[in-house]
Amino acid sequence: MTNCQFTLNEMFKKAIAKTFPELPDAPVLVQASQGEKFGDYQCNSAMAINQILKSKGINSNPRQIATSIVANVPQNDLMQKVEVAGAGFINISLSHNFVSSMLKDILTNGVQPPAVPVKKRCVIDFSSPNIAKEMHVGHLRSTIIGESLSRLLEFVGHDVLRLNHVGDWGTQFGMLIAHLQDKFPNYLQVSPPIGDLQAFYKESKKRFDEDEAFKKVAYQRVVELQGREPDVTKAWNLICDESRKEFDNIYERLDVTLIERGESFYQDMMPNVVADLERKGKVIEDEGRKVVFVQGYKVPLTVVKSDGGFTYDTSDMAALQQRVRDENGDWLIYVTDAGQGDHFKLIFGASREAGIYDPKVIRVDHVGFGVVLGEDKSLDKLKDKERDKVLTPEELKDAQEAVAYGCVKYADLSHNRINDYVFSFDKMLDDKGNTAVYLLYAYTRIRSIMRTANIDRKSLESCLNTTEISLDHPKEWKLGKCIIRFPEILSRVLDDLMMHTLCEFMYEMATTLTEFYDNCYCVEKDRKTGEVIKVDMGRLLLLEATARVMETAFYILGIKPVTKM
């Protein structure tokens, strides 16, 4: 699909270069218009260029500049009209034929991703719960955001490696292993019943806090685990495997794909990381610790503790180095809570200064998110609306699951991830407003109209060459223009990794779709018999193009649409 904003930007870039060859870095500012009276897009470069010329002592006015730029815009099929307005705004109106051809392209070739300059190897670190502990809501946010970003990156053609950096190493495993050995001494022969890991963790923590002798044994088990002692390693694996069962159940329900690569994976790499930092003169001794300072920060990273042990800082630097050198990652993304922002600034800064990665070659992002504030209520909205009386049991189950998981994911993704938000089922399940339920209803309504018209996809595709998508009605035109903005929305999300932008677009498309329903008949029935007497195939093609964009967006968001609700 053509990214209209990018294409227009390139056109005006050429026009400005031709008009002002003496200004090689003249700003090119093309954006979607804020209102219909300003056209579909605006180029606001004239005012900025006017300021540059004035600074050089050249008399000019922005309206004349805008007129000169318009005169040099190359011939194209995209624009119907270009006008200079006000003090020098350039208003751009799209061509009906161009929008119609874009919609037909969606129906002929599917929803194609926007072009990306270079296909990258993306390593995205998300979810990352702790072994033997319950996955809390912060891990859930990381999982939902990380999965959606992964799907978007894959959709546009990047090679994506999804990593689950689980907390499977550290002092706590000493107490867990020691407690398991005491409670189930035959654990090597008979798999111990430790299904309730939460209770098991609390028991071992209580002993660790209250029993000095047990604490000493726990510390000894940590040393033995680090030395890969076989019996201790077996106990560690048993505990990890039990946690994985719980995590995998959640990932399966959420339709999330991950490769586990916990902290333990990087243990053998950490001595070399510290040695490399020492060779490069980055390590400073500080009261028995080995620390690394980063320019612009007063607090250092601790890479070796005073007792000789490594830290999370060391582990994260080892992970970053491995992802660059072994995985050939040229875009690294870390999806964690915003509270870890300063930590990752230090990790990225130290790695950059140590030459582990070059920011000119490798992009590194911390995708931080706010806190989820609690509210917990039941989920039986579809039965409240008596949908169980019009859907088969299988259709009702599919719809309930689509709404249940979809509403949780969408509520998370539709908020600006930097902000906190209140987890409220009442708001999530509202069928009005910017919710998954509203979007899913909008999609199922399209499918309902197609069933009423007795038209399937093959029938629609067969009439593509003989049927025009006219876009004559204002609501048809509004919907058509909205649909073809999809590529530029995805491009914007790829820049800032803010998924709520895609959600806002989906909501705009759904509300525009509702306006279309209310004003444009697609299927006309006999009022007495209910028999279909007229079908507007052009409008059905417009609806099908809308549905296909919605399906693609749903997939990226990790939501499964259903054809009936």
Side-chain angles (χ1 to χ4, degrees), residues 452-471:
T452 300
N454 196 27
I455 298 290
D456 58 20
R457 287 196 179 195
K458 286 186 177 180
S459 301
L460 281 171
E461 289 167 359
S462 67
C463 71
L464 266 175
N465 295 328
T466 57
T467 305
E468 286 299 314
I469 304 178
S470 67
L471 307 176

Side-chain angles (χ1 to χ4, degrees), residues 196-320:
D196 188 353
L197 271 179
Q198 300 304 303
F200 187 81
Y201 184 92
K202 288 176 182 177
E203 290 172 9
S204 63
K205 184 68 167 65
K206 188 172 186 296
R207 290 184 68 190
F208 185 83
D209 292 340
E210 297 174 358
D211 187 338
E212 283 298 319
F214 178 77
K215 184 180 287 188
K216 288 180 181 178
V217 173
Y219 281 132
Q220 180 58 34
R221 294 297 175 267
V222 174
V223 174
E224 291 167 353
L225 178 61
Q226 290 171 342
R228 301 294 198 270
E229 198 280 326
D231 290 356
V232 171
T233 301
K234 168 74 172 176
W236 173 72
N237 279 323
L238 286 168
I239 294 166
C240 290
D241 287 344
E242 196 61 44
S243 265
R244 287 189 190 103
K245 291 178 187 176
E246 294 299 318
F247 299 157
D248 288 345
N249 182 41
I250 293 171
Y251 296 142
E252 183 179 357
R253 285 171 173 266
L254 294 176
D255 194 20
V256 169
T257 305
L258 276 162
I259 294 174
E260 182 184 311
R261 193 169 290 173
E263 294 166 15
S264 61
F265 180 83
Y266 305 101
Q267 293 305 302
D268 294 339
M269 304 174 194
M270 292 195 283
N272 290 333
V273 168
V274 175
D276 286 345
L277 291 169
E278 288 176 325
R279 278 194 297 271
K280 292 169 182 174
K282 297 293 181 182
V283 176
I284 296 172
E285 294 277 350
D286 178 42
E287 298 181 352
R289 300 179 304 155
K290 292 184 177 182
V291 301
V292 175
F293 280 91
V294 178
Q295 288 183 8
Y297 296 91
K298 293 181 179 179
V299 179
L301 293 170
T302 299
V303 292
V304 180
K305 296 184 292 186
S306 57
D307 64 4
F310 298 118
T311 68
Y312 288 121
D313 295 343
T314 332
S315 175
D316 283 340
M317 286 197 71
L320 192 150

Side-chain angles (χ1 to χ4, degrees), residues 112-126:
Q112 297 300 310
V116 292
V118 179
K119 301 292 174 66
K120 295 186 175 183
R121 168 72 162 166
C122 303
V123 182
I124 180 164
D125 177 327
F126 65 99

Side-chain angles (χ1 to χ4, degrees), residues 165-179:
H165 190 83
V166 297
D168 64 353
W169 204 254
T171 306
Q172 72 272 24
F173 284 95
M175 69 180 191
L176 290 167
I177 291 167
H179 186 54

Side-chain angles (χ1 to χ4, degrees), residues 141-160:
R141 280 208 86 178
S142 176
T143 304
I144 291 169
I145 295 168
E147 174 67 20
S148 188
L149 286 173
S150 297
R151 290 177 178 225
L152 172 59
L153 293 167
E154 287 169 340
F155 177 66
V156 300
H158 293 305
D159 177 19
V160 179

